[in-house]
Amino acid sequence: MSLKWYSDPKPEQFKNPAAAFRLNALDDLLTSPDQPSADEIWWLAALEFGTNKDGSPRSLEEFMDWIPSQFIDQLFVPPEYYYPDSLLETETNSVTVVAQRALLNLINQVDSDAPVSMLDLGGVASPDMLRYFRDGPELNLRHIHEQLPEGAAVIAVIDSGIAVGHNLFRKRGSGTALDKTRVAFLWNMDGATTPSSPPQHWFRSGIDTLLALNMHEDHLDEATFYAQIGLIDWPRHGLNPVAHRISHGTHVMGLAAGLEPKDADLLDKRPIIAVQLPTNLVRDVSGANMSPAIKQALQFIRRAAKRFTIGLTSNRPPVVVNFSFGDFSGPHDGTGKMAEVLGKGFKSSSTNIRAVVLPSGNGNLSRCHAQVDLTARYPRADLNWRVQPEDLTVSSVEIWLPKSAAVPPVGSISLSVDHPAIAHSVTVECVPGAKAHLTAKDGTKIGHVSFTGPLHPTLRSRFTISIRPTAAADRIVALAPAGVWRLTLELGQSADDLRLEAWIARDETLPGFPDFGRQSYFDNSDYVRFYRPGVAVSPFDLPALIGKPLSYDPADPGLVRRAGTISGFACASAPAVLAGIVQPDRTIAAYSSGGPTDNPDRMGPDASATTDDSPVLAGVLSAGSNSGSLVAMRGTSVAAPQAVRWIAAELRPSKHDGRTLIRDMATSHPKLPEVRAGKGHMNVDPPFGSQRRPRPEA
């Protein structure tokens, strides 16, 4: 008898396994009568080019030369990379593109010779977005030159639902009406791109013209104004945040830059750059789709910021950027894609961006983080991942190994995934590229599990579990079962002890948005949600009342942790990160996330600001969508813009960056542990509604 030896093919390893799953495993959810082929779908993507072997940076030009001829029609690069302003240093070591999946799959393979070190997948490109990338006109800012007075600072806001016509963002012209805007530049990324549509880019002169056209008896016809500027467009969008009573971006920008006529000395010193994100992008709260658009937004802010000078000098005013978004997933060490994008937001020699300010996140009680220590004595651990019914989105978990450039030895760690409603459990070993499909009992593929080795810049291996939605509103498709998925981590017999960190991707429906995601969470029985007699609570949770929700891990916390739930966006070293506190006794808000992180330069947030006026008066007041209105909103999203407002006033006389400034001015307090509140409370009040909140003596 003769024997034949066959070598197993090398497993296909993707730089971004979650992107590979979304590109290739959801065809029935992505196709429709209007879009019959998933191969023809256009995706928004961010590409990082990395470096050559000699250390020199790779570039967009190298990438364009590399693209195989059969794929050249499957990619478009936006116009800003081809029509830079004369002073613009275009960042060509990374780029945002729209592309089709055949090319993206090729780029995403670890063994590909593409000059791309990392791919981050955004959402499906809308027809308007595709037209902008394919046919967008040159954005020419060279004719604009804004002279600002001494002491000025530019405030930039990236958000959704920004009512730029609110009276807090206007000033008086020659008469009594507030008919002049303080918004010097606006990019409505959600705008249409047809020839008959309002433009996406607006400058001060164009906004002033619209204000004048819609001003009647010193009052602005806001409905018509927003329709003409493209921020309300009912034929195109079923959801227009600016049309709601409260809109996230308006509230945030009000706290960061809103001024009343009585603030006359500041009206010309705080010009605004606003970037309105696409609504469909914001709807997906996982953050997985975000980085391509944020790279574009920061590029626009850098370009616009160069059009300002102090008087007739060549000196540029400082720029402070607010981005009040967060997520749960990522490595939490500063090397995640969004953390890197935001951390590099002000690395430019010719702009004066001095701070990017972020919230710490609202996931402290979300049960989306687990810490697993595997030892020779306890070599196995089970995580119960509860996926909710009626979830219209993909759910996913990442389990990160410790930092190491080396792949763990084969057999040192494995992950098994099981659920009563699937055909069989699957086990994936720590072999780069190893993966297994999760299948229903009828054989339908409903998810996958994969292992990825260490890749630059995050030199950490990870397991990724992704499953399909548990519901579909408008079609019959394969669905994943809801309920508890058992994730079993097991150490090999001769393996060294390991500490693993697991994070569930954020997945919920935002207030005011149509039903979308429902947040999954870890549901281990040893997680103590509420105080009961006998639980050794943290001293920061005292006094402990029976039934009180605990906002700190008890002395024996189990696998699922509150610690380490800080937003994955907020883990880089450079940005300033704000937590939230409740007045009047200055306790940390129960939802406010904290560290530690795996970045040695960041324990947690840098400082904290007021996010609730009292335990019964939730939130703080700021601009509603309509002029003259103030509404309350809570969350660490409202802490960040208060810091932006303060930093803008302090940067000019200081040579420090914004993060250093707020850490230096924060006031420590016995109820504010540094891992949750940073250096302490910023002793500044929200700018509006002071009658709502009596304050203790400082």
Side-chain angles (χ1 to χ4, degrees):
M1 180 178 68
S2 62
L3 297 176
K4 293 184 178 180
W5 292 89
Y6 296 92
S7 60
D8 290 335
K10 187 175 181 180
E12 188 177 43
Q13 184 179 187
F14 291 107
K15 299 166 185 172
N16 187 334
F21 179 75
R22 292 171 57 214
L23 280 171
N24 302 300
L26 304 174
D27 288 9
D28 54 347
L29 290 171
L30 296 171
T31 54
S32 66
D34 296 330
Q35 181 63 67
S37 171
D39 289 329
E40 296 176 3
I41 291 174
W42 291 91
W43 294 84
L44 189 66
L47 309 179
E48 192 83 31
F49 297 128
T51 58
N52 293 303
K53 292 181 179 179
D54 62 1
S56 60
R58 289 177 163 177
S59 67
L60 172 61
E61 290 73 20
E62 287 182 65
F63 171 68
M64 297 301 290
D65 290 340
W66 166 84
I67 297 176
S69 58
Q70 66 268 35
F71 297 119
I72 198 67
D73 294 331
Q74 295 191 18
L75 176 133
F76 291 108
V77 177
E80 56 259 35
Y81 289 92
Y82 291 115
Y83 300 105
D85 298 323
S86 57
L87 296 176
L88 176 65
E89 297 171 3
T90 306
E91 293 192 351
T92 55
N93 65 322
S94 62
V95 66
T96 296
V97 301
V98 292
Q100 293 179 325
R101 76 172 175 185
L103 176 59
L104 292 173
N105 276 329
L106 178 61
I107 294 169
N108 198 23
Q109 291 178 12
V110 169
D111 291 337
S112 168
D113 62 350
V116 175
S117 60
M118 182 52 67
L119 175 148
D120 206 33
L121 191 67
V124 173
S126 67
D128 285 308
M129 187 178 293
L130 179 58
R131 272 192 296 271
Y132 173 79
F133 275 71
R134 185 183 60 204
D135 307 320
E138 174 184 356
L139 175 60
N140 186 355
L141 305 183
R142 282 168 284 188
H143 64 288
I144 300 174
H145 179 205
E146 295 230 357
Q147 296 178 24
L148 302 180
E150 193 69 35
V154 179
I155 294 175
V157 175
I158 305 171
D159 217 299
S160 170
I162 304 176
V164 294
H166 194 283
N167 62 284
L168 293 177
F169 313 133
R170 290 185 271 141
K171 60 184 179 180
R172 289 192 175 97
S174 57
T176 58
L178 296 172
D179 57 357
K180 298 295 181 182
T181 186
R182 294 176 45 236
V183 178
F185 297 91
L186 166 67
W187 184 7
N188 178 17
M189 298 176 82
D190 214 12
T193 55
T194 58
S196 60
S197 303
Q200 287 191 335
H201 297 97
W202 290 86
F203 312 135
R204 188 191 299 272
S205 58
I207 300 174
D208 282 346
T209 299
L210 280 190
L211 288 174
L213 287 173
N214 292 287
M215 198 68 65
H216 307 289
E217 301 296 331
D218 290 355
H219 292 282
L220 179 65
D221 178 355
E222 295 183 62
T224 304
F225 171 79
Y226 290 125
Q228 291 177 352
I229 207 169
L231 289 172
I232 293 180
D233 189 348
W234 292 115
R236 291 182 61 250
H237 296 300
L239 176 67
N240 292 272
V242 169
H244 293 188
R245 170 178 169 268
I246 181 170
S247 47
H248 189 273
T250 309
H251 194 283
V252 165
M253 197 159 89
L255 290 171
L259 294 172
E260 298 176 279
K262 64 182 178 63
D263 303 312
D265 58 326
L266 289 177
L267 290 172
D268 292 325
K269 294 182 179 180
R270 296 291 182 269
I272 300 168
I273 302 171
V275 180
Q276 161 94 7
L277 293 172
T279 303
N280 283 339
L281 180 71
V282 174
R283 185 185 184 192
D284 179 1
V285 296
S286 70
N289 296 347
M290 193 71 79
S291 73
I294 299 306
K295 288 180 72 68
Q296 284 187 283
L298 289 170
Q299 185 87 314
F300 175 75
I301 290 169
R302 281 191 287 265
R303 296 182 71 180
K306 291 175 182 176
R307 312 321 303 168
F308 296 99
T309 61
I310 300 297
L312 295 174
T313 71
S314 60
N315 298 329
R316 292 199 173 92
V319 182
V320 189
V321 180
N322 188 97
F323 181 60
S324 283
F325 285 78
D327 76 335
F328 295 161
S329 55
H332 286 70
D333 59 8
T335 64
K337 189 60 189 176
M338 274 294 292
E340 278 222 313
V341 168
L342 294 164
K344 293 177 179 177
F346 44 120
K347 289 186 177 179
S348 175
S349 61
S350 57
T351 55
N352 197 16
I353 297 179
R354 300 276 291 282
V356 174
V357 186
L358 309 172
S360 66
N362 303 326
N364 186 55
L365 304 180
S366 64
R367 289 183 278 171
C368 288
H369 173 228
Q371 181 177 295
V372 180
D373 290 305
L374 299 179
T375 65
R377 185 177 180 184
Y378 300 104
R380 172 177 166 147
D382 292 325
L383 288 171
N384 296 330
W385 178 30
R386 184 172 292 279
V387 178
Q388 301 211 54
E390 299 303 314
D391 183 356
L392 303 177
T393 61
V394 170
S395 297
S396 63
V397 179
E398 292 177 338
I399 302 174
W400 292 86
L401 276 66
K403 187 167 186 175
S404 172
V407 177
V410 176
S412 60
I413 178 74
S414 65
L415 169 66
S416 299
V417 180
D418 198 8
H419 186 285
I422 65 174
H424 53 81
S425 66
V426 301
T427 299
V428 170
E429 301 284 347
C430 55
V431 176
K435 60 179 179 289
H437 292 291
L438 298 165
T439 56
K441 291 186 176 179
D442 63 0
T444 306
K445 294 178 182 178
I446 55 173
H448 80 173
V449 186
S450 65
F451 180 84
T452 306
L455 299 172
H456 181 80
T458 305
L459 297 178
R460 297 171 67 180
S461 301
R462 74 182 186 271
F463 292 99
T464 303
I465 310 103
S466 299
I467 64 169
R468 293 171 66 91
T470 59
D474 58 352
R475 62 188 72 190
I476 299 175
V477 295
L479 301 173
V484 173
W485 290 73
R486 179 68 56 86
L487 313 181
T488 301
L489 291 156
E490 191 160 4
L491 199 64
Q493 289 186 352
S494 59
D496 295 333
D497 295 353
L498 272 179
R499 169 168 289 182
L500 302 104
E501 303 273 0
W503 281 280
I504 298 172
R506 189 179 175 195
D507 178 21
E508 60 188 300
T509 299
L510 292 173
F513 280 65
D515 287 346
F516 195 53
R518 298 192 69 202
Q519 184 63 56
S520 60
Y521 56 93
F522 292 124
D523 197 13
N524 284 39
S525 60
D526 57 358
Y527 180 83
V528 182
R529 291 183 65 191
F530 307 102
Y531 173 71
R532 61 179 184 271
V535 174
V537 300
S538 163
F540 295 110
D541 261 325
L542 296 174
L545 304 176
I546 294 176
K548 174 187 176 182
L550 300 180
S551 62
Y552 296 85
D553 290 323
D556 184 15
L559 299 179
V560 184
R561 307 293 177 92
R562 298 163 181 84
T565 52
I566 187 171
S567 165
F569 293 176
C571 293
S573 300
V577 179
L578 273 292
I581 67 167
V582 181
Q583 295 289 1
D585 58 351
R586 297 181 185 172
T587 55
I588 292 289
Y591 52 77
S592 181
S593 299
T597 77
D598 289 320
N599 178 359
D601 292 331
R602 178 168 296 286
M603 177 183 291
D606 295 301
S608 57
T610 301
T611 53
D612 295 278
D613 284 327
S614 81
V616 295
L617 291 174
V620 298
L621 292 179
S622 183
S625 296
N626 291 319
S627 290
S629 67
L630 295 176
V631 294
M633 189 170 78
R634 72 190 311 197
T636 55
S637 284
V638 305
Q642 295 175 62
V644 166
R645 192 183 193 93
W646 182 85
I647 291 170
E650 299 296 324
L651 271 177
R652 188 65 191 171
S654 171
K655 296 182 180 179
H656 294 302
D657 61 86
R659 184 186 182 195
T660 302
L661 280 175
I662 66 168
R663 289 173 67 86
D664 287 347
M665 73 85 63
T667 304
S668 62
H669 190 277
K671 295 182 180 179
L672 302 179
E674 185 170 350
V675 74
R676 288 278 302 279
K679 292 297 183 182
H681 174 232
M682 292 188 68
N683 199 22
V684 293
D685 283 333
F688 309 108
S690 58
Q691 71 279 3
R692 191 173 186 246
R693 47 180 192 276
R695 287 286 185 260
E697 293 297 326

